Amino acid sequence: MHCLLFSLGQFCRNPLASLLTAAVIGIALALPAGFYVALDNARRVTAGWEGAVQITAFLKMEVSDARARELATELERNEHVGQLAFMSRDEALAEFRASSGFGEALDALADNPLPALLLLTPRASGDPERSAIKLLAYLRALPEVEAAQYDQQWLKRLNAIIHIIQRGVIIMAVFLGLAVLIIVGNTIRMLFYHRRAEIEIAKLFGATDSFIRRPFLYSGFWYGLSGGLLAWLVVIVALRFLENPAGRLAELYTGAFALAGLNPDEILVLVGAGILLGLIGSWVSVSHHLKATEPA
């Protein structure tokens, strides 16, 4: 305990140098942590879209609303259909008029140019993807259907992009972790050379390598702890800075979405990673220089 408090005192006696080193470590840890939070929020958004994926069936113009309703009733009994909604030509026109802003242009048209629609959600039980593919093939074979499209293809592409970015974040985290090791190792090396004469005298009196190494390990612990806490603070500040724009964007899409930060377990992992890197960096640096330091 005395050695731990002694290393903390050394850390506090040079506040500017210690803060700069901790800040560099914190930024290096905050970058992958920030990207992780961004990807986690992206996964939360796309997870909410999974259930909203639909198959849209455009009926032929000559199909009457009565026949379209009969077809909708028949499709509701299909084993691959989870939910079904019918939109008549007039309803489709009214929705397009309300959302597009082309009301005056639509008034100039003699006839309604929009077909009736069937909006189908594949059954979630079993294999939803397989059910959707079978349902899509069935719809395209119906004589009343002009075209049918499955809205999940873009979502698959988005998820594939997210997975690629996730791998990139892992690679970045590895390289930034190595950078933290180098930063801590260089800082401990400077502390070691500052106390080299003291270390040589301690060796003359029979001090073991583990005894000499211990205060430097504690110094690495304090650098890693402070860097991890600063990384957490940087992530919090970044989330607060982005909170209002993200809320306004969610309102435009009529959704209630709030950015999620790091949970307690993830905070412990972040701070623990800083401490572990600090200990490893100091261990490697001190062990290397102890072998080259022998009393004359």
Side-chain angles (χ1 to χ4, degrees):
M1 181 61 68
H2 174 75
C3 190
L4 179 66
L5 296 177
F6 174 75
S7 62
L8 178 61
Q10 282 193 320
F11 182 87
C12 297
R13 272 194 292 272
N14 299 294
L16 181 59
S18 300
L19 181 61
L20 289 176
T21 303
V24 174
I25 296 172
I27 293 172
L29 293 174
L31 285 174
F35 277 107
Y36 170 81
V37 170
L39 288 175
D40 183 61
N41 282 278
R43 282 193 295 268
R44 290 175 58 232
V45 173
T46 55
W49 290 343
E50 291 284 354
V53 172
Q54 293 178 324
I55 293 176
T56 305
F58 299 91
L59 303 184
K60 294 181 179 179
M61 298 293 291
E62 60 268 20
V63 177
S64 65
D65 286 348
R67 174 56 191 149
R69 288 189 174 89
E70 292 177 2
L71 180 61
T73 303
E74 295 172 3
L75 288 172
E76 285 178 344
R77 296 191 289 268
N78 190 293
E79 62 177 347
H80 300 298
V81 176
Q83 294 179 349
L84 186 146
F86 168 69
M87 184 179 293
S88 66
R89 296 182 61 194
D90 292 337
E91 291 172 341
L93 181 63
E95 181 176 329
F96 183 74
R97 185 191 301 274
S99 60
S100 66
F102 294 109
E104 295 181 359
L106 293 173
D107 292 336
L109 298 177
D111 297 320
N112 183 353
L114 300 179
L117 303 175
L118 293 176
L119 304 175
L120 303 97
T121 302
R123 189 176 296 277
S125 60
D127 188 349
E129 181 67 20
R130 187 173 182 181
S131 297
I133 293 174
K134 288 185 176 180
L135 182 58
L136 186 64
Y138 177 77
L139 290 171
R140 287 174 175 171
L142 293 175
E144 295 88 353
V145 176
E146 181 71 31
Q149 65 181 27
Y150 187 30
D151 297 337
Q152 198 178 26
Q153 191 64 34
W154 68 271
L155 190 56
K156 288 182 178 179
R157 292 169 182 160
L158 178 61
N159 286 331
I161 293 173
I162 290 176
H163 287 313
I164 293 174
I165 297 175
Q166 186 177 16
R167 297 292 180 90
V169 171
I170 294 174
I171 295 172
M172 180 179 65
V174 171
F175 281 107
L176 289 175
L178 293 175
V180 171
L181 291 178
I182 295 172
I183 294 167
V184 174
N186 187 61
T187 303
I188 297 300
R189 178 183 66 84
M190 295 173 63
L191 293 175
F192 187 92
Y193 278 109
H194 181 71
R195 300 177 56 190
R196 182 161 185 164
E198 177 185 343
I199 292 170
E200 290 180 350
I201 294 173
K203 278 198 168 189
L204 285 173
F205 282 92
T208 61
D209 288 349
S210 60
F211 177 83
I212 297 172
R213 187 186 293 114
R214 189 177 300 118
F216 294 103
L217 292 179
Y218 286 143
S219 296
F221 169 84
W222 291 118
Y223 282 117
L225 176 63
S226 57
L229 293 175
L230 282 174
W232 178 32
L233 179 62
V234 169
V235 173
I236 292 176
V237 171
L239 286 174
R240 292 292 178 270
F241 184 72
L242 296 173
E243 190 173 13
N244 288 335
R248 288 196 296 268
L249 181 62
E251 290 176 0
L252 294 175
Y253 286 93
T254 63
F257 175 76
L259 289 175
L262 297 171
N263 60 43
D265 292 338
E266 292 165 345
I267 294 171
L268 289 176
V269 170
L270 177 60
V271 176
I275 293 173
L276 181 62
L277 291 172
L279 291 173
I280 294 175
S282 59
W283 177 281
V284 172
S285 179
V286 174
S287 297
H288 173 73
H289 292 95
L290 275 175
K291 293 179 180 179
T293 303
E294 292 295 336

PDB file of all heavy atoms in Angstrom, residues 189-213:
ATOM      1  N   ARG A 189       9.922   4.574 -19.164  1.00  0.00           N
ATOM      2  CA  ARG A 189      11.367   4.622 -19.451  1.00  0.00           C
ATOM      3  C   ARG A 189      11.969   5.922 -18.940  1.00  0.00           C
ATOM      4  O   ARG A 189      13.069   5.917 -18.348  1.00  0.00           O
ATOM      5  CB  ARG A 189      11.583   4.501 -20.962  1.00  0.00           C
ATOM      6  CG  ARG A 189      13.057   4.579 -21.382  1.00  0.00           C
ATOM      7  CD  ARG A 189      13.176   4.520 -22.886  1.00  0.00           C
ATOM      8  NE  ARG A 189      12.581   5.690 -23.507  1.00  0.00           N
ATOM      9  CZ  ARG A 189      13.212   6.860 -23.662  1.00  0.00           C
ATOM     10  NH1 ARG A 189      14.460   6.995 -23.229  1.00  0.00           N
ATOM     11  NH2 ARG A 189      12.607   7.867 -24.241  1.00  0.00           N
ATOM     12  N   MET A 190      11.259   7.034 -19.122  1.00  0.00           N
ATOM     13  CA  MET A 190      11.768   8.314 -18.622  1.00  0.00           C
ATOM     14  C   MET A 190      11.823   8.319 -17.099  1.00  0.00           C
ATOM     15  O   MET A 190      12.782   8.827 -16.498  1.00  0.00           O
ATOM     16  CB  MET A 190      10.868   9.450 -19.131  1.00  0.00           C
ATOM     17  CG  MET A 190      10.906   9.626 -20.652  1.00  0.00           C
ATOM     18  SD  MET A 190       9.695  10.819 -21.253  1.00  0.00           S
ATOM     19  CE  MET A 190      10.293  12.298 -20.460  1.00  0.00           C
ATOM     20  N   LEU A 191      10.792   7.746 -16.460  1.00  0.00           N
ATOM     21  CA  LEU A 191      10.819   7.655 -14.996  1.00  0.00           C
ATOM     22  C   LEU A 191      11.967   6.765 -14.522  1.00  0.00           C
ATOM     23  O   LEU A 191      12.613   7.047 -13.498  1.00  0.00           O
ATOM     24  CB  LEU A 191       9.482   7.099 -14.486  1.00  0.00           C
ATOM     25  CG  LEU A 191       8.243   7.982 -14.672  1.00  0.00           C
ATOM     26  CD1 LEU A 191       6.990   7.235 -14.215  1.00  0.00           C
ATOM     27  CD2 LEU A 191       8.391   9.281 -13.885  1.00  0.00           C
ATOM     28  N   PHE A 192      12.209   5.692 -15.256  1.00  0.00           N
ATOM     29  CA  PHE A 192      13.273   4.759 -14.892  1.00  0.00           C
ATOM     30  C   PHE A 192      14.635   5.448 -14.944  1.00  0.00           C
ATOM     31  O   PHE A 192      15.433   5.334 -14.004  1.00  0.00           O
ATOM     32  CB  PHE A 192      13.237   3.560 -15.842  1.00  0.00           C
ATOM     33  CG  PHE A 192      14.185   2.466 -15.467  1.00  0.00           C
ATOM     34  CD1 PHE A 192      13.771   1.418 -14.661  1.00  0.00           C
ATOM     35  CD2 PHE A 192      15.510   2.477 -15.926  1.00  0.00           C
ATOM     36  CE1 PHE A 192      14.649   0.409 -14.315  1.00  0.00           C
ATOM     37  CE2 PHE A 192      16.386   1.468 -15.586  1.00  0.00           C
ATOM     38  CZ  PHE A 192      15.958   0.425 -14.777  1.00  0.00           C
ATOM     39  N   TYR A 193      14.896   6.172 -16.047  1.00  0.00           N
ATOM     40  CA  TYR A 193      16.198   6.838 -16.161  1.00  0.00           C
ATOM     41  C   TYR A 193      16.326   7.979 -15.153  1.00  0.00           C
ATOM     42  O   TYR A 193      17.445   8.312 -14.724  1.00  0.00           O
ATOM     43  CB  TYR A 193      16.398   7.350 -17.585  1.00  0.00           C
ATOM     44  CG  TYR A 193      16.882   6.278 -18.522  1.00  0.00           C
ATOM     45  CD1 TYR A 193      16.053   5.754 -19.505  1.00  0.00           C
ATOM     46  CD2 TYR A 193      18.172   5.753 -18.421  1.00  0.00           C
ATOM     47  CE1 TYR A 193      16.485   4.761 -20.353  1.00  0.00           C
ATOM     48  CE2 TYR A 193      18.617   4.759 -19.269  1.00  0.00           C
ATOM     49  CZ  TYR A 193      17.769   4.261 -20.233  1.00  0.00           C
ATOM     50  OH  TYR A 193      18.207   3.254 -21.070  1.00  0.00           O
ATOM     51  N   HIS A 194      15.208   8.574 -14.774  1.00  0.00           N
ATOM     52  CA  HIS A 194      15.258   9.630 -13.760  1.00  0.00           C
ATOM     53  C   HIS A 194      15.692   9.071 -12.404  1.00  0.00           C
ATOM     54  O   HIS A 194      16.324   9.778 -11.604  1.00  0.00           O
ATOM     55  CB  HIS A 194      13.883  10.298 -13.646  1.00  0.00           C
ATOM     56  CG  HIS A 194      13.826  11.406 -12.651  1.00  0.00           C
ATOM     57  ND1 HIS A 194      14.456  12.624 -12.859  1.00  0.00           N
ATOM     58  CD2 HIS A 194      13.231  11.489 -11.428  1.00  0.00           C
ATOM     59  CE1 HIS A 194      14.246  13.410 -11.816  1.00  0.00           C
ATOM     60  NE2 HIS A 194      13.510  12.753 -10.931  1.00  0.00           N
ATOM     61  N   ARG A 195      15.380   7.803 -12.168  1.00  0.00           N
ATOM     62  CA  ARG A 195      15.724   7.166 -10.886  1.00  0.00           C
ATOM     63  C   ARG A 195      16.795   6.092 -11.059  1.00  0.00           C
ATOM     64  O   ARG A 195      16.920   5.207 -10.207  1.00  0.00           O
ATOM     65  CB  ARG A 195      14.457   6.532 -10.280  1.00  0.00           C
ATOM     66  CG  ARG A 195      13.347   7.525 -10.010  1.00  0.00           C
ATOM     67  CD  ARG A 195      12.112   6.820  -9.480  1.00  0.00           C
ATOM     68  NE  ARG A 195      12.415   6.041  -8.286  1.00  0.00           N
ATOM     69  CZ  ARG A 195      11.559   5.177  -7.735  1.00  0.00           C
ATOM     70  NH1 ARG A 195      10.376   4.987  -8.282  1.00  0.00           N
ATOM     71  NH2 ARG A 195      11.905   4.501  -6.649  1.00  0.00           N
ATOM     72  N   ARG A 196      17.600   6.188 -12.099  1.00  0.00           N
ATOM     73  CA  ARG A 196      18.560   5.118 -12.381  1.00  0.00           C
ATOM     74  C   ARG A 196      19.610   4.985 -11.281  1.00  0.00           C
ATOM     75  O   ARG A 196      19.955   3.860 -10.874  1.00  0.00           O
ATOM     76  CB  ARG A 196      19.239   5.376 -13.724  1.00  0.00           C
ATOM     77  CG  ARG A 196      20.210   4.286 -14.116  1.00  0.00           C
ATOM     78  CD  ARG A 196      20.513   4.301 -15.582  1.00  0.00           C
ATOM     79  NE  ARG A 196      21.346   3.173 -15.965  1.00  0.00           N
ATOM     80  CZ  ARG A 196      21.525   2.764 -17.219  1.00  0.00           C
ATOM     81  NH1 ARG A 196      20.904   3.390 -18.206  1.00  0.00           N
ATOM     82  NH2 ARG A 196      22.302   1.749 -17.481  1.00  0.00           N
ATOM     83  N   ALA A 197      20.116   6.118 -10.812  1.00  0.00           N
ATOM     84  CA  ALA A 197      21.129   6.054  -9.755  1.00  0.00           C
ATOM     85  C   ALA A 197      20.546   5.406  -8.500  1.00  0.00           C
ATOM     86  O   ALA A 197      21.206   4.578  -7.849  1.00  0.00           O
ATOM     87  CB  ALA A 197      21.650   7.461  -9.452  1.00  0.00           C
ATOM     88  N   GLU A 198      19.326   5.755  -8.162  1.00  0.00           N
ATOM     89  CA  GLU A 198      18.670   5.164  -6.991  1.00  0.00           C
ATOM     90  C   GLU A 198      18.493   3.653  -7.182  1.00  0.00           C
ATOM     91  O   GLU A 198      18.662   2.874  -6.240  1.00  0.00           O
ATOM     92  CB  GLU A 198      17.316   5.845  -6.797  1.00  0.00           C
ATOM     93  CG  GLU A 198      16.489   5.287  -5.664  1.00  0.00           C
ATOM     94  CD  GLU A 198      15.113   5.926  -5.601  1.00  0.00           C
ATOM     95  OE1 GLU A 198      14.918   7.014  -6.209  1.00  0.00           O
ATOM     96  OE2 GLU A 198      14.226   5.335  -4.944  1.00  0.00           O
ATOM     97  N   ILE A 199      18.164   3.243  -8.416  1.00  0.00           N
ATOM     98  CA  ILE A 199      17.961   1.817  -8.692  1.00  0.00           C
ATOM     99  C   ILE A 199      19.285   1.048  -8.565  1.00  0.00           C
ATOM    100  O   ILE A 199      19.327  -0.060  -8.008  1.00  0.00           O
ATOM    101  CB  ILE A 199      17.353   1.640 -10.097  1.00  0.00           C
ATOM    102  CG1 ILE A 199      15.911   2.199 -10.114  1.00  0.00           C
ATOM    103  CG2 ILE A 199      17.349   0.176 -10.524  1.00  0.00           C
ATOM    104  CD1 ILE A 199      15.309   2.293 -11.489  1.00  0.00           C
ATOM    105  N   GLU A 200      20.383   1.633  -9.046  1.00  0.00           N
ATOM    106  CA  GLU A 200      21.687   0.971  -8.956  1.00  0.00           C
ATOM    107  C   GLU A 200      22.096   0.797  -7.493  1.00  0.00           C
ATOM    108  O   GLU A 200      22.637  -0.255  -7.107  1.00  0.00           O
ATOM    109  CB  GLU A 200      22.720   1.772  -9.720  1.00  0.00           C
ATOM    110  CG  GLU A 200      22.526   1.732 -11.233  1.00  0.00           C
ATOM    111  CD  GLU A 200      23.573   2.555 -11.960  1.00  0.00           C
ATOM    112  OE1 GLU A 200      24.314   3.296 -11.280  1.00  0.00           O
ATOM    113  OE2 GLU A 200      23.643   2.455 -13.204  1.00  0.00           O
ATOM    114  N   ILE A 201      21.839   1.819  -6.667  1.00  0.00           N
ATOM    115  CA  ILE A 201      22.161   1.706  -5.241  1.00  0.00           C
ATOM    116  C   ILE A 201      21.307   0.623  -4.583  1.00  0.00           C
ATOM    117  O   ILE A 201      21.797  -0.173  -3.757  1.00  0.00           O
ATOM    118  CB  ILE A 201      21.952   3.062  -4.548  1.00  0.00           C
ATOM    119  CG1 ILE A 201      22.980   4.085  -5.076  1.00  0.00           C
ATOM    120  CG2 ILE A 201      22.073   2.930  -3.038  1.00  0.00           C
ATOM    121  CD1 ILE A 201      22.754   5.490  -4.582  1.00  0.00           C
ATOM    122  N   ALA A 202      20.016   0.590  -4.958  1.00  0.00           N
ATOM    123  CA  ALA A 202      19.128  -0.424  -4.387  1.00  0.00           C
ATOM    124  C   ALA A 202      19.599  -1.825  -4.760  1.00  0.00           C
ATOM    125  O   ALA A 202      19.545  -2.757  -3.945  1.00  0.00           O
ATOM    126  CB  ALA A 202      17.699  -0.190  -4.876  1.00  0.00           C
ATOM    127  N   LYS A 203      20.105  -1.984  -5.979  1.00  0.00           N
ATOM    128  CA  LYS A 203      20.621  -3.296  -6.389  1.00  0.00           C
ATOM    129  C   LYS A 203      21.870  -3.670  -5.606  1.00  0.00           C
ATOM    130  O   LYS A 203      22.093  -4.853  -5.302  1.00  0.00           O
ATOM    131  CB  LYS A 203      20.904  -3.297  -7.890  1.00  0.00           C
ATOM    132  CG  LYS A 203      19.678  -3.536  -8.758  1.00  0.00           C
ATOM    133  CD  LYS A 203      20.070  -3.966 -10.152  1.00  0.00           C
ATOM    134  CE  LYS A 203      18.896  -4.489 -10.927  1.00  0.00           C
ATOM    135  NZ  LYS A 203      19.287  -5.098 -12.211  1.00  0.00           N
ATOM    136  N   LEU A 204      22.713  -2.664  -5.279  1.00  0.00           N
ATOM    137  CA  LEU A 204      23.907  -2.949  -4.471  1.00  0.00           C
ATOM    138  C   LEU A 204      23.528  -3.485  -3.092  1.00  0.00           C
ATOM    139  O   LEU A 204      24.253  -4.286  -2.502  1.00  0.00           O
ATOM    140  CB  LEU A 204      24.748  -1.681  -4.333  1.00  0.00           C
ATOM    141  CG  LEU A 204      25.566  -1.257  -5.560  1.00  0.00           C
ATOM    142  CD1 LEU A 204      26.217   0.091  -5.330  1.00  0.00           C
ATOM    143  CD2 LEU A 204      26.617  -2.316  -5.882  1.00  0.00           C
ATOM    144  N   PHE A 205      22.396  -3.053  -2.566  1.00  0.00           N
ATOM    145  CA  PHE A 205      21.944  -3.517  -1.263  1.00  0.00           C
ATOM    146  C   PHE A 205      21.078  -4.777  -1.372  1.00  0.00           C
ATOM    147  O   PHE A 205      20.437  -5.164  -0.398  1.00  0.00           O
ATOM    148  CB  PHE A 205      21.166  -2.410  -0.550  1.00  0.00           C
ATOM    149  CG  PHE A 205      22.031  -1.363   0.067  1.00  0.00           C
ATOM    150  CD1 PHE A 205      22.377  -0.219  -0.632  1.00  0.00           C
ATOM    151  CD2 PHE A 205      22.550  -1.530   1.349  1.00  0.00           C
ATOM    152  CE1 PHE A 205      23.183   0.754  -0.065  1.00  0.00           C
ATOM    153  CE2 PHE A 205      23.355  -0.561   1.914  1.00  0.00           C
ATOM    154  CZ  PHE A 205      23.696   0.588   1.221  1.00  0.00           C
ATOM    155  N   GLY A 206      21.026  -5.379  -2.564  1.00  0.00           N
ATOM    156  CA  GLY A 206      20.352  -6.658  -2.730  1.00  0.00           C
ATOM    157  C   GLY A 206      18.890  -6.584  -3.091  1.00  0.00           C
ATOM    158  O   GLY A 206      18.164  -7.586  -2.941  1.00  0.00           O
ATOM    159  N   ALA A 207      18.412  -5.435  -3.580  1.00  0.00           N
ATOM    160  CA  ALA A 207      17.007  -5.327  -3.980  1.00  0.00           C
ATOM    161  C   ALA A 207      16.753  -6.210  -5.203  1.00  0.00           C
ATOM    162  O   ALA A 207      17.545  -6.241  -6.148  1.00  0.00           O
ATOM    163  CB  ALA A 207      16.659  -3.876  -4.306  1.00  0.00           C
ATOM    164  N   THR A 208      15.660  -6.932  -5.180  1.00  0.00           N
ATOM    165  CA  THR A 208      15.317  -7.815  -6.302  1.00  0.00           C
ATOM    166  C   THR A 208      14.661  -7.008  -7.429  1.00  0.00           C
ATOM    167  O   THR A 208      14.190  -5.880  -7.221  1.00  0.00           O
ATOM    168  CB  THR A 208      14.351  -8.916  -5.850  1.00  0.00           C
ATOM    169  OG1 THR A 208      13.136  -8.313  -5.381  1.00  0.00           O
ATOM    170  CG2 THR A 208      14.969  -9.742  -4.723  1.00  0.00           C
ATOM    171  N   ASP A 209      14.616  -7.631  -8.591  1.00  0.00           N
ATOM    172  CA  ASP A 209      13.970  -6.967  -9.730  1.00  0.00           C
ATOM    173  C   ASP A 209      12.486  -6.712  -9.469  1.00  0.00           C
ATOM    174  O   ASP A 209      11.944  -5.673  -9.868  1.00  0.00           O
ATOM    175  CB  ASP A 209      14.138  -7.806 -10.987  1.00  0.00           C
ATOM    176  CG  ASP A 209      15.565  -7.773 -11.522  1.00  0.00           C
ATOM    177  OD1 ASP A 209      16.355  -6.946 -11.029  1.00  0.00           O
ATOM    178  OD2 ASP A 209      15.874  -8.567 -12.437  1.00  0.00           O
ATOM    179  N   SER A 210      11.810  -7.656  -8.824  1.00  0.00           N
ATOM    180  CA  SER A 210      10.385  -7.475  -8.548  1.00  0.00           C
ATOM    181  C   SER A 210      10.155  -6.310  -7.593  1.00  0.00           C
ATOM    182  O   SER A 210       9.172  -5.569  -7.730  1.00  0.00           O
ATOM    183  CB  SER A 210       9.792  -8.760  -7.970  1.00  0.00           C
ATOM    184  OG  SER A 210      10.446  -9.110  -6.759  1.00  0.00           O
ATOM    185  N   PHE A 211      11.058  -6.136  -6.619  1.00  0.00           N
ATOM    186  CA  PHE A 211      10.937  -5.018  -5.680  1.00  0.00           C
ATOM    187  C   PHE A 211      11.115  -3.691  -6.412  1.00  0.00           C
ATOM    188  O   PHE A 211      10.390  -2.718  -6.145  1.00  0.00           O
ATOM    189  CB  PHE A 211      11.972  -5.159  -4.570  1.00  0.00           C
ATOM    190  CG  PHE A 211      11.980  -4.027  -3.588  1.00  0.00           C
ATOM    191  CD1 PHE A 211      11.078  -3.997  -2.535  1.00  0.00           C
ATOM    192  CD2 PHE A 211      12.885  -2.972  -3.728  1.00  0.00           C
ATOM    193  CE1 PHE A 211      11.080  -2.945  -1.633  1.00  0.00           C
ATOM    194  CE2 PHE A 211      12.888  -1.920  -2.831  1.00  0.00           C
ATOM    195  CZ  PHE A 211      11.976  -1.903  -1.776  1.00  0.00           C
ATOM    196  N   ILE A 212      12.084  -3.623  -7.335  1.00  0.00           N
ATOM    197  CA  ILE A 212      12.330  -2.385  -8.085  1.00  0.00           C
ATOM    198  C   ILE A 212      11.211  -2.133  -9.091  1.00  0.00           C
ATOM    199  O   ILE A 212      10.806  -0.993  -9.337  1.00  0.00           O
ATOM    200  CB  ILE A 212      13.692  -2.475  -8.806  1.00  0.00           C
ATOM    201  CG1 ILE A 212      14.824  -2.602  -7.771  1.00  0.00           C
ATOM    202  CG2 ILE A 212      13.915  -1.273  -9.705  1.00  0.00           C
ATOM    203  CD1 ILE A 212      16.175  -2.879  -8.383  1.00  0.00           C
ATOM    204  N   ARG A 213      10.669  -3.206  -9.644  1.00  0.00           N
ATOM    205  CA  ARG A 213       9.651  -3.080 -10.685  1.00  0.00           C
ATOM    206  C   ARG A 213       8.308  -2.595 -10.123  1.00  0.00           C
ATOM    207  O   ARG A 213       7.539  -1.930 -10.823  1.00  0.00           O
ATOM    208  CB  ARG A 213       9.480  -4.430 -11.378  1.00  0.00           C
ATOM    209  CG  ARG A 213       8.571  -4.386 -12.596  1.00  0.00           C
ATOM    210  CD  ARG A 213       8.314  -5.773 -13.153  1.00  0.00           C
ATOM    211  NE  ARG A 213       9.522  -6.354 -13.720  1.00  0.00           N
ATOM    212  CZ  ARG A 213      10.136  -7.429 -13.220  1.00  0.00           C
ATOM    213  NH1 ARG A 213       9.651  -8.021 -12.135  1.00  0.00           N
ATOM    214  NH2 ARG A 213      11.215  -7.911 -13.794  1.00  0.00           N
TER     215      ARG A 213
END
